[in-house]
Amino acid sequence: MISPFVLIPSLGQDLYLSALYLFDGVVGNSSSGIIEAPLINIPTLNVGTRQGGRLRFGDVLEAGTSKRSIKNGWNRLIDKIKAPKSQSNKKPNPAMIQMPSNTIIPK
């Protein structure tokens, strides 16, 4: 079975912004999850308070840092990803990008 997850230590800014188009969703506590991802209609789960006080540029789900809160947030994110998209809410069709040489694909 091929894993649906890929670990990439660092893409750099340009490749990361291009790679966002390939993601179904974003989970974490990075500013890109509350700014760049929502701008291109990528569902985001922001975990914890690190981004507290910053503007959100779209519909961002929030979760605390407890296992229960993250699990509930994850389930809401999956529901959002699976929900039918309106024409205006679909992701743009990206050009193909080349993955960097430090990409790690789990077995």
Side-chain angles (χ1 to χ4, degrees), residues 4 7 18 24 40 44 50 52 64 68-69 75 79 92 99:
L7 172 64
S18 295
D24 292 322
I40 56 173
T44 300
R50 182 170 179 250
R68 180 175 169 177
S69 182
N75 290 333
D79 289 344
M99 297 305 286

Side-chain angles (χ1 to χ4, degrees), residues 8-78:
I8 304 168
S10 178
L11 284 173
Q13 185 177 15
D14 291 340
L15 279 177
Y16 174 73
L17 293 175
S18 295
L20 270 178
Y21 287 100
L22 302 175
F23 302 164
D24 292 322
V26 175
V27 177
N29 64 2
S30 168
S31 62
S32 75
I34 64 170
I35 299 172
E36 290 90 351
L39 284 173
I40 56 173
N41 297 317
I42 310 264
T44 300
L45 174 62
N46 182 56
V47 179
T49 59
R50 182 170 179 250
Q51 301 304 324
R54 292 190 178 178
L55 293 175
R56 270 79 172 139
F57 288 86
D59 188 15
V60 177
L61 301 171
E62 302 287 340
T65 56
S66 71
K67 183 177 178 180
R68 180 175 169 177
S69 182
I70 294 169
K71 183 178 179 181
N72 288 339
W74 175 263
N75 290 333
R76 288 182 292 139
L77 180 69
I78 296 302

